[in-house]
Amino acid sequence: MSSVIAYTNHSDPLPARAVRLAAALEEWPRRTITLSEVWDVYATADPASAMRPTRRAELATTLEALIAARLITCSRTRDTSATPALPTRLTLPSAQPSPTAAALARTIAWRPELAWATSARLTLGQVEVLRAVNVWLRDRGRDDDNAPLRERSLEVFGYEKRLDTLLGTSLFAPDRLSLTLLRTFRSRPPLSTRRVGDGPVMLVVENADTFDTLSRVLTDAPCEVGWIAWGAGAAFEASVASIADLTEVRHVAYFGDIDADGLRIPTSASATAARDELPPVRPATGLYQLLLQAGVPQPGQPRLSQDKAAELTSWLGEPHASQSAALLTRGCRLAQETVGKRLLLTAPQWRDGLHWPTP
């Protein structure tokens, strides 16, 4: 396997270290990156360099290679605290298919399962992902063992959460990568549930204290809620799959904080439920209404754009979506702990949305 590729419009080779750094920089969340941040990314892309006395000179050479390949541009100001001088800031292009990545893909002897990589429009980062898969298929491709997603991710990429970030990308598509090819599967994290009645509805609550309060109230005064579950924050995005084991559940109502994370979680879980043909995840409308009426906005959150706020709150439906979006654009949130036992006992309308909707 070749360790170098040709620069775009240049004849000199691009070293493997430069390819790794370019691939890592593609995942940087901003278009600019400071030198101190470059050092952190470089440590990930080339961890063996940490103990080498020539590390600074190697980084300088690597950056020069990326500049020559037009994969980065750099500021005119230099850090002269040591030799050689290094640019204090880099500007990165947006991650997109490039001739450099295509050239690299053509140097690799792909396994038959990845032969499509030679003609696909890929970024350098995607080529590096496929290279890791290629090595795994070569070394372990004939094994017949299946492993949970994060175990396989650690084995293939050295990082257990790498596959989580890749599943929604163009690398996973028909005739490309698949869970079957990698002989892996999404495990179903356990969902902490408590039986509180005989109804077909499950109420999922984001935070532990509100889960405890609603458990006690629903046990004392049952309705159509048969189960109450503690979503454990973002864990519900994965543990929603465990509802498949509760065959008596026909409808899932969710109640969480009104903030960016609190709304992203049920939106993601709802999409998973739809994809896996599970009972739909809908908002517990009465509880959200009570939270919006009684909650005191807490400032200090990032101010979201109107488009982003509308995207996050759309799962709530109107009028709660517009009311919640107004909070997010002001940088405010509402904590679900507002809906305590005293409030629940004095406002029975909170049970709206906790019934099994009939067709």
Side-chain angles (χ1 to χ4, degrees):
M1 182 181 299
S2 174
S3 62
V4 297
I5 60 176
Y7 292 163
T8 306
N9 299 326
H10 292 264
S11 58
D12 295 332
L14 186 62
R17 181 183 296 119
V19 173
R20 292 195 300 271
L21 180 57
L25 288 172
E26 284 180 350
E27 299 187 12
W28 188 251
R30 304 190 309 272
R31 290 289 309 280
T32 60
I33 181 170
T34 65
L35 179 58
S36 62
E37 292 167 334
V38 169
W39 279 117
D40 292 337
V41 176
Y42 186 57
T44 301
D46 191 13
S49 68
M51 303 302 294
R52 291 198 294 264
T54 56
R55 186 171 186 244
R56 188 178 179 95
E58 290 171 354
L59 176 58
T61 301
T62 300
L63 294 180
E64 289 172 2
L66 296 183
I67 292 168
R70 300 189 180 95
L71 296 175
I72 61 172
T73 56
C74 65
S75 64
R76 294 182 179 180
T77 57
R78 293 290 187 270
D79 171 27
T80 57
S81 60
T83 303
L86 294 172
T88 59
R89 185 178 298 272
L90 304 178
T91 300
L92 314 175
S94 58
Q96 56 185 348
S98 69
T100 308
L104 174 58
R106 290 193 294 270
T107 69
I108 298 171
W110 295 107
R111 296 276 303 178
E113 303 93 326
L114 302 179
W116 53 269
T118 58
S119 57
R121 290 171 54 82
L122 302 171
T123 66
L124 279 170
Q126 289 174 324
V127 173
E128 289 299 288
V129 166
L130 293 176
R131 195 208 297 261
V133 173
N134 200 54
V135 171
W136 180 81
L137 287 171
R138 181 197 67 196
D139 296 342
R140 298 291 306 278
R142 296 183 180 180
D143 294 350
D144 58 2
D145 64 309
N146 286 322
L149 190 73
R150 290 193 175 182
E151 290 183 13
R152 182 67 79 224
S153 182
L154 183 64
E155 180 183 11
V156 177
F157 301 107
Y159 179 48
E160 73 279 6
K161 297 181 181 179
R162 188 70 175 107
L163 273 175
D164 289 309
T165 63
L166 292 172
L167 287 178
T169 70
S170 60
L171 290 180
F172 278 81
D175 299 323
R176 289 196 170 193
L177 296 184
S178 67
L179 297 185
T180 301
L181 175 64
L182 295 173
R183 293 194 302 283
T184 188
F185 57 91
R186 297 183 185 88
S187 61
R188 294 175 176 173
L191 185 62
S192 178
T193 62
R194 184 177 296 174
R195 190 76 171 180
V196 293
D198 299 323
V201 176
M202 171 181 284
L203 172 61
V204 181
V205 183
E206 179 180 353
N207 300 327
D209 286 5
T210 307
F211 164 78
D212 183 77
T213 293
L214 283 165
S215 297
R216 288 184 280 112
V217 172
L218 286 168
T219 299
D220 293 341
C223 60
E224 289 190 60
V225 175
W227 297 263
I228 184 167
W230 175 37
F236 184 57
E237 294 179 69
S239 64
V240 64
S242 294
I243 296 173
D245 301 325
L246 300 171
T247 56
E248 297 176 27
V249 173
R250 296 289 182 269
H251 172 56
V252 179
Y254 186 90
F255 178 48
D257 297 326
I258 295 180
D259 57 21
D261 285 340
L263 293 167
R264 177 186 52 78
I265 292 164
T267 299
S268 173
S270 179
T272 298
R275 183 195 66 214
D276 295 348
E277 299 183 343
L278 300 171
V281 178
R282 298 190 176 103
T285 54
L287 287 166
Y288 279 110
Q289 178 65 33
L290 192 57
L291 177 55
L292 285 163
Q293 289 175 346
V296 176
Q298 299 176 358
Q301 303 297 302
R303 292 176 179 265
L304 302 186
S305 68
Q306 291 184 348
D307 288 346
K308 184 61 176 179
E311 176 187 342
L312 282 172
T313 58
S314 62
W315 171 81
L316 287 172
E318 294 297 351
H320 302 150
S322 296
Q323 296 170 349
S324 300
L327 286 165
L328 299 186
T329 56
R330 288 162 43 204
C332 295
R333 67 185 295 271
L334 294 177
Q336 71 170 168
E337 287 81 2
T338 299
V339 183
K341 183 176 181 180
R342 183 177 303 173
L343 187 58
L344 292 169
L345 294 178
T346 59
Q349 67 270 23
W350 66 266
R351 294 174 184 265
D352 293 346
L354 300 182
H355 59 280
W356 182 22
T358 55

